Amino acid sequence: MVMYWRRDVCKRLVSWDEFVPMFARGEVQCGPWLQHVVEWRKYGVEDNVLHVMYEDLQRDMKAVFKKVVDFLGRPLSPEKLDEVVASCSLEEMKKNAIKDLDFDDANYNFQLNPFFRAGKTGNWKEHFTVAQSEMFDEILGRRIEEAGLEFIYEL
């Protein structure tokens, strides 16, 4: 959610304190986030959809990439897989962000708002107040649980 606000046009129009309840209520560009997630979670491998969580990539990127290439039916040699994993590290992607991204917003300032930020689960705690976290849980917590979604809030 922090990433969404930092990159979204909303940040130019509303403060973080205004954005948090808007996001929780689904009143942001692209509609309700939870509805989007729930709709896609209905689909699985049998529907040709593979769900990958960022937290899984943080835990074991190589295992997740192996799962992806197997899902795609495009096996890689162990050496090539290692090369791909190394090139997808946060450090490598930060080094190449500006030249590799096909970013269509000419006004985007990579120095003020880097495309790749902390790259860690739990960074939300540096942005949310306790009240915002409680409000978010109140609005979305029950619906997330009812949808059978599991979230990893820190590693």
Side-chain angles (χ1 to χ4, degrees):
M1 182 177 128
V2 174
M3 178 184 72
Y4 188 87
W5 177 76
R6 290 178 61 92
R7 293 200 188 115
D8 191 65
V9 70
C10 288
K11 74 178 179 174
R12 297 181 192 123
L13 304 174
V14 298
S15 70
W16 171 253
D17 290 337
E18 295 168 307
F19 182 78
V20 171
M22 289 171 57
F23 184 92
R25 292 189 305 262
E27 299 168 354
V28 294
Q29 183 180 5
C30 301
W33 163 83
L34 183 59
Q35 179 182 340
H36 167 80
V37 172
V38 169
E39 288 295 317
W40 275 103
R41 293 301 289 181
K42 288 192 259 183
Y43 302 100
V45 174
E46 65 280 354
D47 302 303
N48 209 27
V49 175
L50 178 67
H51 298 279
V52 175
M53 292 181 63
Y54 183 72
E55 293 77 11
D56 294 335
L57 286 165
Q58 286 185 291
R59 283 190 199 122
D60 190 348
M61 186 182 295
K62 186 174 182 176
V64 173
F65 280 14
K66 175 81 171 95
K67 185 177 178 179
V68 170
V69 297
D70 290 348
F71 174 78
L72 295 172
R74 304 289 303 221
L76 295 177
S77 69
E79 298 79 22
K80 187 64 174 175
L81 186 60
D82 288 341
E83 182 183 325
V84 170
V85 169
S87 68
C88 291
S89 71
L90 184 63
E91 295 77 25
E92 283 298 313
M93 292 194 317
K94 280 183 175 183
K95 280 196 286 188
N96 298 310
I98 296 173
K99 71 177 181 136
D100 288 350
L101 288 174
D102 182 17
F103 205 73
D104 62 357
D105 185 349
N107 298 317
Y108 194 88
N109 186 325
F110 281 92
Q111 273 61 46
L112 291 176
N113 191 12
F115 193 82
F116 299 106
R117 297 181 324 102
K120 63 180 184 176
T121 300
N123 184 255
W124 64 274
K125 291 179 181 181
E126 296 176 27
H127 302 274
F128 275 71
T129 65
V130 171
Q132 288 170 334
S133 179
E134 289 171 351
M135 180 272 312
F136 198 83
D137 289 344
E138 181 181 323
I139 293 175
L140 290 175
R142 181 182 43 62
R143 292 179 16 213
I144 288 170
E145 191 176 308
E146 287 170 357
L149 300 174
E150 180 183 335
F151 284 87
I152 301 163
Y153 294 99
E154 59 188 318
L155 290 177

